[in-house]
Amino acid sequence: MCGIVGYIGKNKIKDILLEGLAELEYRGYDSAGIAVLQDENFSIYKAVGKLENLRNKTQDFHPEGFAIGIGHTRWATHGKPTELNAHPHIGSNSYVVHNGIIENYQELKASLIKEGFNFVSQTDTEVIVHLFESKLTKLNDPVKAFRATLDELQGAYAVLLITACSPETIFFAKHGSPMLIGLNGDEKYFASSDTPIIGLAKEAIYLEDGENGYLDATSTHLFNEKYEPVKEQTKALATSKLSAQKDGYRFFMEKEIYEQTHVISDTLMGRLGEAEINFEELDPELFLGINEIKLCACGTSYHSALAASYLFERYSKIRCSVEIASEFRYKEPLMCKDTLFVVISQSGETADTLETLKMAKRAGLKSLVICNVDNSSMVREADASILTRAGIEKGVASTKAFATQMVVFWMLSLYLAKQRKTLTSIELAKHVSLLREVPSTVVVKDELHEKLRRLSKRYLHGHGFFFIGRDVFFPLALEGALKLKEISYLHAEGYPSGEMKHGPIALADPELFTIALMPTNLLYEKTKSNVEELSARDSTICAISAREFDKADDFIKIEERSHYMHEFFEMMVVLQVLSLEISVRLGNDVDMPRNLAKSVTVE
Ligand code: F6R
């Protein structure tokens, strides 16, 4: 999804903007651009495709000394990925970059065209810069013109604007899309997430929705949506980006699969007692009067929520329902105050999920977010938060975020089980010791990786994949199918094993690949019968199990385990590595698959 950077200062502005954009690359984009204003002259560069193309275009551009500038990576929403549609968008003497969607851009565009403005792009963003210049002509004051512009914009946005009539100032506004300002003496940075600023600024202002203002090297002017001055609240920024490097792995996704063992240890750290789970960040009163849990999320996070619903009902004996955020928003849902509303999100910025959280809050529900990014919009919005501690996830296809979400959910179901007295101390102690072993279940062994690499060559074609499983292995099957389709572009579906005979089995033939999740500790015989039904219809079967299964064409053996959740985590790794190796053989961009964005901040 789109990314924004901005800079005011005396340092190498071109490098700061381009390096900042590189930090946002993992979010997905299809064009990029920068605009620099120095000594009243604008320099503007845009390129379609990778940042390398933009770097090449700026080879002879070497600004020295004080300058201001803005940059953007664009993930096309309105209009194709072309240079004209890339940001920054130009007026006659101003430039703008924007994340989000301006919903009323067509009306605004029509009236600006009537005023005589000429549009060169198909984007919604371009209206902002023309609207600003229209207001500037009438009001003759850039601050008033910027505010008058904001007053007319509808939708979600984060905006940076620079203009020749105020050549040392960046105007900014946040309304529904993330934005923060990094401060380091007389150097100022803007970014849509903190990674471009880490190492450059020590502290940051995380803007709240409705906040806007302008700043230059020596002063910051911050206002709320009524344009009343707001006292800036700064927060310390992390100091190291080390975890975001590839560390010798071919892809970020591969590195992130391998580091699951470490990040899961981090997720568990300080939270495991003898026979209880400690979440210091939770006020136990959060669950007072709660009779139901509603989980809401998108994509991979939705899959972890679905798996969690089995754990909450099984261990905490509490009613639990799961919703896809984009569906929940418009179904006119009934919300009861005895429901705890839980959103799950790696980024904490996904527009649909964030909106459901706001809806739940408006309806007076208590809320909790399970999230990987501290200070993200959801963390700031929810009553309570549990951080998953997976570290920065750069691969667009989520891996370690899912793994840590599952660990948090398992712990949370036990935390609640203790509160609700639905498990005995002996049972709780058993679970705690099982949790301690999770990091070892996700270690990627060389032999396993090599086997999956060899096997992958047999799964590069066919007319589709079914991933099947029961209970928590059904959401895991959904997640396995999602991983495969995201990075291999092969068609894959996840199904509950027991559902196959209700329709999907009609597709079975040798060109249909079934990836069967067959845990020995949970419903083995039931799953086995379902897989046999597919095998009898000549579907090509790849079984994943600790127990040999002679009806499979391919067999991936996992370790004998005493608990199904350990089988869950080991199979999760198998599915991740298998997808990765299939994608590598197909020559795809593993970390930045086509059409996808890391953080989906539009609905
Ligand atoms: C898939 C993937 C997406 C995200 C989804 C929600 O690999 O990463 O499906 O899970 O876009 O994102 P978050 O969790 O950031 O809310």
Side-chain angles (χ1 to χ4, degrees):
M1 199 100 322
C2 306
I4 286 183
V5 294
Y7 176 67
I8 298 179
K10 292 198 264 312
N11 260 322
K12 293 189 180 308
I13 189 163
K14 179 183 96 173
D15 296 345
I16 289 172
L17 294 178
L18 289 178
E19 279 160 28
L21 291 180
E23 292 295 335
L24 298 172
E25 259 193 309
Y26 70 97
R27 295 162 60 92
Y29 68 105
D30 37 45
S31 57
I34 58 170
V36 171
L37 177 53
Q38 186 171 45
D39 302 331
E40 297 184 22
N41 291 319
F42 278 110
S43 306
I44 165 94
Y45 298 90
K46 298 188 193 189
V48 173
K50 298 283 177 208
L51 269 183
E52 202 44 41
N53 303 342
L54 183 61
R55 272 197 204 98
N56 290 340
K57 284 201 168 179
T58 58
Q59 250 171 12
D60 300 325
F61 174 52
H62 301 291
E64 296 287 339
F66 180 84
I68 69 171
I70 54 180
H72 192 263
T73 44
R74 172 172 186 257
W75 188 74
T77 53
H78 294 79
K80 289 197 162 25
T82 61
E83 229 167 82
L84 278 180
N85 286 337
H87 303 211
H89 283 283
I90 181 174
S92 54
N93 251 325
S94 319
Y95 281 91
V96 70
V97 291
H98 156 233
N99 282 357
I101 289 180
I102 305 300
E103 284 168 0
N104 58 336
Y105 84 101
Q106 270 161 328
E107 296 100 276
L108 293 173
K109 187 169 175 173
S111 85
L112 287 162
I113 288 173
K114 271 196 204 135
E115 278 185 48
F117 285 93
N118 187 23
F119 280 76
V120 294
S121 79
Q122 301 155 305
T123 65
D124 52 336
T125 306
E126 198 182 345
V127 296
I128 304 173
V129 70
H130 295 313
L131 190 57
F132 170 76
E133 293 198 333
S134 157
K135 304 285 181 197
L136 189 60
T137 316
K138 290 168 200 151
L139 300 166
N140 211 15
D141 174 335
V143 175
K144 287 187 185 150
F146 187 63
R147 290 176 176 179
T149 304
L150 298 182
D151 288 342
E152 292 197 24
L153 301 182
Q154 287 169 16
Y157 52 80
V159 170
L160 293 184
L161 181 141
I162 55 178
T163 177
C165 75
S166 188
E168 300 195 351
T169 308
I170 294 185
F171 294 85
F172 60 88
K174 173 197 177 335
H175 187 85
S177 293
M179 166 92 83
L180 68 150
I181 305 172
L183 307 170
N184 186 12
D186 54 7
E187 286 187 90
K188 307 279 159 59
Y189 301 85
F190 286 91
S192 47
S193 80
D194 55 10
T195 37
I197 302 185
I198 292 174
L200 297 173
K202 291 198 176 62
E203 50 181 16
I205 305 169
Y206 288 82
L207 297 178
E208 296 294 337
D209 276 344
E211 287 185 343
N212 62 83
Y214 53 98
L215 57 82
D216 54 32
T218 51
S219 57
T220 305
H221 305 268
L222 181 62
F223 304 93
N224 64 19
E225 58 198 331
K226 294 184 191 141
Y227 307 114
E228 296 157 343
V230 171
K231 189 163 165 24
E232 46 198 83
Q233 308 272 1
T234 55
K235 288 199 171 164
L237 272 170
T239 49
S240 153
K241 283 193 224 193
L242 255 188
S243 58
Q245 310 301 326
K246 270 193 211 156
D247 287 349
Y249 289 98
R250 296 170 295 171
F251 311 101
F252 280 113
M253 181 185 177
E254 187 175 40
K255 176 190 162 226
E256 286 159 7
I257 294 170
Y258 273 76
E259 72 188 11
Q260 289 178 122
T261 179
H262 303 299
V263 296
I264 288 176
S265 299
D266 290 347
T267 308
L268 295 171
M269 202 169 37
R271 288 168 168 166
L272 300 184
E274 280 293 306
E276 74 278 313
I277 302 294
N278 307 310
F279 280 117
E280 269 181 13
E281 55 276 72
L282 292 189
D283 178 348
E285 304 239 319
L286 183 68
F287 296 94
L288 270 189
I290 295 298
N291 291 314
E292 181 177 351
I293 294 178
K294 194 174 274 300
L295 304 170
C296 195
C298 301
T300 288
S301 298
Y302 167 73
H303 295 155
S304 74
L306 214 50
S309 67
Y310 290 83
L311 303 182
F312 282 124
E313 299 215 342
R314 180 165 298 142
Y315 300 135
S316 334
K317 301 288 176 230
I318 186 160
R319 259 200 323 276
C320 183
S321 56
V322 192
E323 304 271 357
I324 291 180
S326 57
E327 285 299 306
F328 188 73
R329 277 182 78 166
Y330 300 106
K331 72 190 265 198
E332 298 180 27
L334 298 178
M335 290 192 258
C336 304
K337 296 225 167 98
D338 66 349
T339 300
L340 177 70
F341 195 79
V342 184
V343 286
I344 306 91
S345 175
Q346 188 285 126
S347 61
E349 302 296 347
T350 303
D352 282 320
T353 312
L354 178 60
E355 188 50 39
T356 63
L357 174 58
K358 290 180 180 165
M359 283 165 64
K361 284 194 75 181
R362 282 197 293 273
L365 270 62
K366 289 197 208 170
S367 60
L368 167 69
V369 58
I370 292 171
C371 190
N372 197 35
V373 181
D374 198 5
N375 286 321
S376 59
S377 302
M378 285 184 221
V379 169
R380 281 178 285 133
E381 187 75 27
D383 295 329
S385 57
I386 301 179
L387 293 177
T388 45
R389 304 179 183 163
I392 296 172
E393 190 179 61
K394 286 210 159 190
V396 164
S398 184
T399 51
K400 60 177 182 167
F402 175 78
T404 51
Q405 286 168 354
M406 283 310 305
V407 171
V408 165
F409 274 131
W410 189 1
M411 287 194 286
L412 192 60
S413 69
L414 303 177
Y415 176 93
L416 256 183
K418 162 122 186 163
Q419 250 193 26
R420 297 166 63 85
K421 302 191 177 45
T422 52
L423 288 180
T424 63
S425 302
I426 293 171
E427 287 165 326
L428 282 167
K430 173 88 184 99
H431 276 281
V432 169
S433 75
L434 288 167
L435 273 161
R436 287 188 204 285
E437 289 167 36
V438 176
S440 67
T441 65
V442 296
V443 170
V444 190
K445 296 192 194 77
D446 288 349
E447 319 83 78
L448 175 74
H449 196 148
E450 179 51 22
K451 172 160 181 134
L452 293 170
R453 197 188 62 73
R454 270 185 289 115
L455 208 64
S456 62
K457 64 176 171 289
R458 297 166 61 163
Y459 293 93
L460 307 176
H461 56 91
H463 62 65
F465 286 75
F466 275 129
F467 286 67
I468 60 169
R470 280 176 178 260
D471 202 278
V472 290
F473 294 86
F474 158 51
L476 183 61
L478 288 172
E479 177 57 9
L482 181 66
K483 285 294 84 85
L484 185 70
K485 66 185 138 197
E486 282 181 294
I487 59 174
S488 72
Y489 319 143
L490 295 168
H491 182 241
E493 303 243 23
Y495 257 99
S497 316
E499 267 294 294
M500 296 306 287
K501 56 171 121 18
H502 299 289
I505 203 166
L507 293 174
D509 71 18
E511 292 298 292
L512 178 89
F513 300 136
T514 299
I515 311 290
L517 308 183
M518 303 176 70
T520 52
N521 291 290
L522 192 73
L523 301 168
Y524 180 81
E525 291 302 329
K526 303 264 177 226
T527 311
K528 183 167 158 251
S529 312
N530 302 138
V531 182
E532 280 168 352
E533 287 154 13
L534 278 152
S535 172
R537 280 145 190 97
D538 233 4
S539 169
T540 298
I541 310 281
C542 175
I544 309 174
S545 185
R547 194 172 300 166
E548 295 288 340
F549 176 61
D550 60 9
K551 305 259 177 5
D553 300 86
D554 284 313
F555 181 69
I556 301 166
K557 186 162 169 48
I558 61 163
E559 301 238 330
E560 305 271 350
R561 308 263 180 201
S562 62
H563 196 271
Y564 71 90
M565 284 305 287
H566 284 176
E567 296 183 293
F568 179 98
F569 282 104
E570 195 176 342
M571 287 190 195
M572 172 197 78
V573 172
V574 170
L575 297 178
Q576 294 166 340
V577 176
L578 183 63
S579 297
L580 174 93
E581 289 302 335
I582 291 175
S583 172
V584 172
R585 281 196 191 268
L586 291 169
N588 297 341
D589 188 339
V590 171
D591 284 333
M592 273 182 266
R594 70 184 187 201
N595 304 338
L596 294 182
K598 182 67 188 163
S599 177
V600 184
T601 46
V602 291
E603 75 168 296

